[in-house]
Amino acid sequence: MKATPAAAPRPSRARARTTSIAAFVVLAALVPTTASASGTQEVEAELPYVCTLPSGQLPATVRVSAEFPERAGAGEAFTPSDVTTTVELPAEAVADLTARDAAEVRAATSLAVGVAQNTATAAATWRGSAEPIALPGSGPLTLVTRGDVPSVAGRSDGDLTFSAGALAIDLALGAADPATADPGSLTVDCTLAEDAPGQGLLATVPVGTDGQAPSGSPSSSGPAGSSGAPDDDGRQDGPGDRRPERQSERSPKVLENTPGAAADRDDVPPCRYDEQHPPTDVSLNAYVTGYANVKKMKGAAYLPPSCVLIEQGLPVPGPPDPEYLIFDTLSYANFHYRERKQTPPFEATFLSFDFAPVKATMVLEQTGTMRIDSRMKIRLSDFTTITDTYVRAPLVLHVLDLEVNGTPLDVGSECRTETSLTSEDPDPANFPGDHLVLYGRGEQLIGLPATGYLLLSGGALSGEATIPAFTGCGSDGEDLDRLLTASVSGPGNYIKQVQGQTCAIAAPVFPSPENEGQCTEDLQPYEIPVAER
């Protein structure tokens, strides 16, 4: 790969909507890829920005790091991984926040990224979030956010470039003394400085064959007499086809969801209310699915679609804020599988200690009701709506069967984690105890569809969990607790779960020429979501 001042690849190494419930984690690993797989370039870019704060326009430094493939095929979608955005704001920014009586800050970033190939362009948004941090007593304020980004596919041969653009930083402020007034929140808008190296270039990924076409000219990637990847309708561009509409079809594709196929309805468990679980006027149901990393295994595990039943709360006014109208909503939810508050059983295969193939059958079981806290903020300056949602779920991982190198091991009937999967809670004083925390943010500008996660329409949520030690594993005097604990348990396990559109039981929306389906005729969720990495 060619190096640029803004993004120098290091050597390859192993490595719309309106407001329902979360998604959850499967915590045993699939056969892992190595931590540093070949064909990967790691990129770091340090860029100058100018940010608008209450005290004026101030310089800031933004560092973006991510992993990209060294090369991709035409039409092949890939997702930049391990994306981290680090923003260093000057000391004046700290003074602006402490002037509001803030003692800590939680940051969420939204970075506009331009994607270009040959003469065609597209736009993506890279979002990140962070845990609260204390404001420093002096010096600059450093904010580090992480998150998932859309997949991208080049439509033809030629370099695919990624360039940073405008950056928005949402700062949720916390007071040193909870009894004092809420310091509210602040949105900081930043623009790329004019002297930014490479005009904000982050990375370059060659697409197609080794021979690259000159800039602005599609190169041949098909049989003689044709060029470019087939279009969605199956047609290919002819060599002399320069029509504007054909040029737009060559633009890189930015995909909100990683490509995949939804499960067939016959392969997912039923998700409906019944006599034992009668619905109310605020009842919703939805399917959730997704992946979770298992850090010790250097891999990810898949949770197939599971049913969740939700009781949606009513919005109440939130704390006063001079820049926003704020409303808070508290909802509750439970998994629902054969009258139990758990997921369906699922299988996962992994390599224990990098050499022994292990297959496990597991379920996630609730030890209490899931809690969903949503805060909707309407910005008074432009009426943009931002909704932050936290899902808190007490879940233990129960191992039903275990097989090592083809040999069954009797784990007994009580093999499970000692406590719930745990996350660092952003508000531990009000939410003590062991539970998993997943976070999602939704945004909506007037006149445009909403993006991100909202309770009713679903979307992606993410978080990080610690897997506790295992207990009760084994029989006939054989103790398997330490084996499972050593190979699986530990912190730093990233989770990404996807919830589908909910079905509102009291006011179902059935598919029609005018409406997308939200409910089936028997009041199950119409949408079966696709897991995203």
Side-chain angles (χ1 to χ4, degrees), residues 65-377:
S65 63
E67 289 189 356
F68 293 81
E70 288 187 339
R71 179 175 294 277
E76 175 190 355
F78 63 87
T79 308
S81 60
D82 290 346
V83 177
T84 300
T85 302
T86 302
V87 182
E88 186 175 293
L89 296 172
E92 292 90 336
V94 178
D96 287 337
L97 302 183
T98 55
R100 293 173 168 238
D101 295 325
E104 67 174 23
V105 60
R106 171 191 290 273
T109 55
S110 178
L111 177 66
V113 175
V115 186
Q117 186 182 41
N118 301 324
T119 59
T121 61
T125 301
W126 289 8
R127 304 181 192 278
S129 59
E131 296 301 316
I133 61 170
L135 291 175
S138 61
L141 171 63
T142 301
L143 307 168
V144 181
T145 66
R146 297 177 177 85
D148 291 290
V149 302
S151 299
V152 176
R155 300 299 303 276
S156 60
D157 287 2
D159 285 352
L160 194 63
T161 61
F162 296 77
S163 300
L167 172 68
I169 311 167
D170 288 325
L171 303 176
L173 307 178
D177 182 358
T180 64
D182 189 335
S185 56
L186 178 69
T187 298
V188 178
D189 293 315
C190 304
T191 57
L192 189 69
E194 294 182 356
D195 59 348
Q199 296 181 314
L201 180 65
L202 298 175
T204 300
V205 178
V207 174
T209 59
D210 290 339
Q212 300 300 317
S215 178
S217 301
S219 63
S220 175
S221 63
S226 68
S227 68
D231 295 315
D232 294 339
D233 58 7
R235 296 174 296 174
Q236 285 186 308
D237 303 334
D241 194 345
R242 310 298 293 174
R243 290 172 290 171
E245 65 270 24
R246 309 300 284 169
Q247 289 298 300
S248 66
E249 289 179 357
R250 292 193 186 98
S251 296
K253 282 187 175 181
V254 176
L255 310 170
E256 280 297 325
N257 296 324
T258 300
D264 188 272
R265 188 163 295 277
D266 293 337
D267 297 328
V268 300
C271 190
R272 62 170 67 91
Y273 289 84
D274 52 32
E275 291 182 359
Q276 288 72 36
H277 301 84
T280 68
D281 290 343
V282 293
S283 292
L284 311 168
N285 51 5
Y287 284 110
V288 295
T289 184
Y291 290 94
N293 288 348
V294 180
K295 188 175 181 180
K296 284 187 175 179
M297 298 294 177
K298 306 182 181 73
Y302 170 65
L303 175 66
S306 301
C307 173
V308 182
L309 304 182
I310 307 133
E311 290 297 300
Q312 185 184 15
L314 298 176
V316 298
D321 189 295
E323 298 182 16
Y324 294 90
L325 289 176
I326 299 179
F327 298 92
D328 291 332
T329 303
L330 172 59
S331 304
Y332 296 97
N334 292 297
F335 280 126
H336 183 63
Y337 178 73
R338 295 184 177 178
E339 306 303 323
R340 298 176 181 174
K341 296 177 182 180
Q342 66 175 54
T343 67
F346 54 88
E347 286 187 355
T349 301
F350 58 94
L351 293 180
S352 181
F353 306 110
D354 291 332
F355 70 89
V358 176
K359 182 170 73 174
T361 303
M362 299 158 288
V363 296
L364 285 169
E365 299 174 339
Q366 288 179 233
T367 60
T369 301
M370 303 179 203
R371 176 186 175 114
I372 309 164
D373 290 277
S374 299
R375 170 164 289 183
M376 181 177 66
K377 302 190 298 183

Side-chain angles (χ1 to χ4, degrees), residues 294 296 417 466-470 481 483-491 493:
V294 180
K296 284 187 175 179
T417 52
T466 294
I467 306 172
F470 284 80
D481 292 347
L483 171 64
L484 286 169
T485 298
S487 58
V488 175
S489 301
N493 302 286

